[in-house]
Amino acid sequence: ALRDLPDMDAMAAEPRLLMDATLAMERQVRDGAPWLAQRAGSEEIVIAPPAAPLETADLDRLYSLPFRREAHPSCRAPVPAEEMTRFSVVTHRGCAGGCSFCSIALHQGRGILSRSRESVLNEVARLAGHPRWTGSLNDVGGPSANMWRSVCARGEHPCTRTSCLTPRPCPFFKPGQKEVAALLDAISRVPGVKNVRVASGIRHDLAMMEPDYVEALVSRHVGGQLKLAPEHVSDRVLALMRKPGAGSFGDFLDVFSTISRRAGKEQYVVPYLMSAFPGCTDNDMRELAAWLRERGWHPQQVQCFVPTPGTVATAMYHAGIAPDGTRIHVAKTDSERMRQHRILTGGWGRPDGGQSPRRGGELERRGRTQGPARGRAGRDRRQG
């Protein structure tokens, strides 16, 4: 079957049509069908459904290839991420989260494609023989580190969801977090391995579904800082982002703090935060600033929303509507976007947004906070 998307001229005249086209592309990724077509002037663009996902054996063969783990020779300047990625292991592809601002599902799929346990352990054993190996594995994971071995058990049951996890977990989504914890511990026993860290970030709402996983992760596999992406605390904004409610993040922080104290470790959560998201207002940013202030967190850098091709959030930004067609506020001017940003990074919730941020959006450090889970918010190094 072939489905026609709104043509370019019509879309340029009526921004709402971008939302229709974006949701159709999202459904194509989810269902693997149909073929899509869009007319652009005298030409027509045909969009094929995603290729069939790789089987575990195919993925294992791919990751068994003799990669050099070095930047390409054409790179003359140092590559900042090279050292981090050289001793990191990818366990899976895909993400079931369905966040409205994320494009991972568009190029990796929403289903989780997992490598076998043996494949991962074999790669770690090869890494331990690398001439630059120091004993520390920087990261074990994927788009969300705790989704390895997660499966969809719906079979032939039709799916109409945009996310497997929000607004509440799908009953057909079966996480494999006990297996993730066992894998991390097995990697720790590979000869030559001293430390195994998870640095690629986890879904905290998913983690809370399996206490044994959280215990293993926090007590043994956090290298001082754990990256989480709460993004905001306004439940209305979080719903537009397709993120879990703020209560889920707070619950995880309490558990993180308890386990860290019990393990005798001073550890920190590094939250990813976002300003000027479509639907977010100045009052929403003040709510977030107040929430952080109550916990003694001082963000040094925050991502200001940037539209990215193909995402639902970009259609929201362009059309000024939520996916259901409801009108929403969108901060589009530079002054309004910077005002929201300053509320978080410079104004600390004051109505005027406070002082202009220092160069690079950083704030001067204002002292340490108390408790393992109450550490300062680290810099957000995401791109785009």
Side-chain angles (χ1 to χ4, degrees), residues 67-352:
F67 294 104
R68 293 282 300 277
R69 294 188 177 271
E70 296 177 2
H72 193 275
S74 65
C75 298
R76 302 189 182 280
V79 178
E82 184 177 1
E83 289 303 313
M84 171 64 187
T85 57
R86 177 175 286 120
F87 298 119
S88 296
V89 173
V90 175
T91 59
H92 62 281
R93 294 180 178 180
C95 184
C99 300
S100 64
F101 54 83
C102 182
S103 63
I104 287 176
L106 292 176
H107 56 84
Q108 291 195 19
R110 212 173 78 189
I112 308 302
L113 314 178
S114 298
R115 296 170 61 184
S116 69
R117 172 188 171 104
E118 293 73 20
S119 172
V120 174
L121 292 175
N122 287 340
E123 182 178 357
V124 174
R126 293 194 300 272
L127 283 176
H130 193 283
R132 298 189 190 182
W133 177 252
T134 62
S136 295
L137 196 60
N138 295 325
D139 188 27
V140 179
S144 290
N146 51 332
M147 288 189 186
W148 181 69
R149 297 295 293 272
S150 296
V151 298
C152 175
R154 68 183 174 90
E156 298 301 317
H157 191 280
C159 178
T160 59
R161 296 178 62 112
T162 56
S163 168
C164 301
L165 297 177
T166 59
R168 61 192 63 82
C170 174
F172 294 116
F173 184 70
K174 307 299 180 184
Q177 294 181 104
K178 286 187 176 180
E179 290 88 343
V180 177
L183 176 67
L184 294 173
D185 289 339
I187 292 173
S188 300
R189 296 190 292 270
V190 172
V193 174
K194 299 176 183 177
N195 301 298
V196 179
R197 305 302 185 208
V198 173
S200 54
I202 67 166
R203 282 285 301 220
H204 54 272
D205 53 334
L206 181 61
M208 291 296 286
M209 295 168 61
E210 184 45 70
D212 289 345
Y213 168 74
V214 181
E215 178 72 34
L217 174 72
V218 178
S219 63
R220 299 192 289 277
H221 302 297
V222 172
Q225 296 182 338
L226 179 65
K227 299 175 185 176
L228 297 180
E231 305 294 357
H232 217 285
V233 298
S234 164
D235 285 335
R236 186 183 57 80
V237 175
L238 289 169
L240 292 170
M241 292 178 168
R242 297 180 185 163
K243 298 288 289 185
S248 174
F249 182 50
D251 291 344
F252 183 89
L253 290 177
D254 291 340
V255 173
F256 182 92
S257 178
T258 298
I259 297 175
S260 295
R261 282 197 299 268
R262 191 164 61 235
K265 295 184 175 183
E266 183 177 358
Q267 302 183 140
Y268 299 87
V269 164
V270 179
Y272 288 161
L273 304 170
M274 189 182 299
S275 63
F277 187 80
C280 181
T281 66
D282 289 5
N283 284 337
D284 294 320
M285 294 307 297
R286 293 188 187 102
E287 180 183 352
L288 174 56
W291 190 94
L292 293 168
R293 187 173 60 246
E294 289 173 1
R295 288 155 181 79
W297 276 7
H298 306 276
Q300 292 179 303
Q301 195 171 24
V302 177
Q303 179 176 358
C304 191
F305 172 78
V306 176
T308 52
T311 65
V312 172
T314 295
M316 293 164 61
Y317 175 87
H318 179 65
I321 59 173
D324 64 2
T326 305
R327 297 293 304 181
I328 58 173
H329 173 78
V330 178
K332 285 191 175 181
T333 66
D334 288 346
S335 61
E336 187 175 6
R337 287 165 60 81
M338 282 306 300
R339 186 170 68 245
Q340 286 203 19
H341 208 66
R342 288 170 182 162
I343 289 172
L344 203 59
T345 62
W348 286 100
R350 297 206 309 269
D352 62 357

